[in-house]
Amino acid sequence: MIFSKGLSTQPGWILFDWNGSLQSALTDLAHMGYQGVELLYDSSTFEPYREKPEPLRDKLIDAGIKSVGITVSVDLYISETIESDLARCTRVADTVATIVGEMLLVVPGVRRFKRPQHELTDRQYQCMADALNEIGRVCCGNGIRFCLNPHVRRVIERRHEVSRILGLTDPALVGLSFDPSHTYIGGWD
């Protein structure tokens, strides 16, 4: 079993917060039979490990639980922020490798859009595709997988958006993390 979206203390993300005790959360999840967790890079629980992830790796090992991956949100389609977005994803990929995680998951489009008025332009799709391919190369170099994670109320949410962006990326570099709850809300069958 995998505990998805785990270990976030942000309201609305999860029913459990273990009063901010990461070690208690990991130990309890292992005792419940979970074998892995998906960590949220942007959560307050992750904050102490951003600069030095080795203690997080040790906590995971001590609990006997694995990091399936780390999810991070970045824009990736705005030319003015692309360099900082790529640098952020590179740091997270390095962290995934350090804690012996399996993959980096990226939720593109931090900025929320009003639907259905907003669609990415051809140029923005290509900018995002190029960035996703670059992140995929970084992840390959770190020995981990890379997946696009479509997310409700983000720029890649609907079936046609996922199809379009995946059609512009290299499938050897960019995978898909399919979350039925988000794709259902995004209008998929």
Side-chain angles (χ1 to χ4, degrees), residues 119-163:
E119 289 287 330
L120 293 180
T121 65
D122 291 344
R123 185 172 167 211
Q124 289 171 321
Y125 267 109
Q126 191 59 57
C127 181
M128 183 181 291
D130 293 344
L132 291 171
N133 284 327
E134 179 59 30
I135 297 164
R137 281 188 281 281
V138 168
C139 287
C140 282
N142 274 315
I144 61 173
R145 293 181 294 154
F146 171 60
C147 291
L148 168 71
N149 189 1
H151 200 284
V152 68
R153 292 188 293 278
R154 300 297 173 97
V155 296
I156 303 297
E157 168 190 45
R158 298 180 174 163
R159 182 188 307 260
H160 73 277
E161 295 161 342
V162 173
S163 295

Side-chain angles (χ1 to χ4, degrees), residues 18-188:
W18 285 273
N19 296 318
S21 171
L22 179 62
Q23 193 63 54
S24 293
L26 293 172
T27 301
D28 288 351
L29 290 169
H31 282 99
M32 287 186 276
Y34 287 92
Q35 298 169 345
V37 292
E38 175 187 350
L39 303 167
L40 299 174
Y41 188 76
D42 299 312
S43 74
S44 58
T45 305
F46 202 92
E47 179 72 34
Y49 308 104
R50 287 198 188 119
E51 297 301 317
K52 190 174 180 192
E54 292 82 359
L56 175 59
R57 178 197 58 215
D58 297 342
K59 287 177 186 280
L60 289 161
I61 291 168
D62 289 346
I65 203 161
K66 184 169 181 59
S67 169
V68 176
I70 298 177
T71 299
V72 65
S73 296
V74 287
D75 283 316
L76 297 180
Y77 66 94
I78 301 170
S79 57
E80 295 81 21
T81 64
I82 197 69
E83 285 185 35
S84 63
D85 288 347
L86 289 172
R88 180 176 172 85
C89 288
T90 298
R91 282 192 310 274
V92 180
D94 292 344
T95 300
V96 173
T98 300
I99 66 169
V100 197
E102 295 178 11
M103 73 181 89
L104 169 64
L105 299 102
V106 166
V107 175
V110 174
R111 290 160 178 72
R112 299 186 188 276
F113 295 99
K114 295 179 181 165
R115 300 277 184 178
Q117 305 94 301
H118 188 274
E119 289 287 330
L120 293 180
T121 65
D122 291 344
R123 185 172 167 211
Q124 289 171 321
Y125 267 109
Q126 191 59 57
C127 181
M128 183 181 291
D130 293 344
L132 291 171
N133 284 327
E134 179 59 30
I135 297 164
R137 281 188 281 281
V138 168
C139 287
C140 282
N142 274 315
I144 61 173
R145 293 181 294 154
F146 171 60
C147 291
L148 168 71
N149 189 1
H151 200 284
V152 68
R153 292 188 293 278
R154 300 297 173 97
V155 296
I156 303 297
E157 168 190 45
R158 298 180 174 163
R159 182 188 307 260
H160 73 277
E161 295 161 342
V162 173
S163 295
R164 182 157 182 201
I165 196 65
L166 289 179
L168 295 170
T169 60
D170 182 344
L173 299 173
V174 181
L176 176 65
S177 173
F178 188 82
D179 184 331
S181 63
H182 287 283
T183 53
Y184 176 78
I185 294 169
W188 295 43

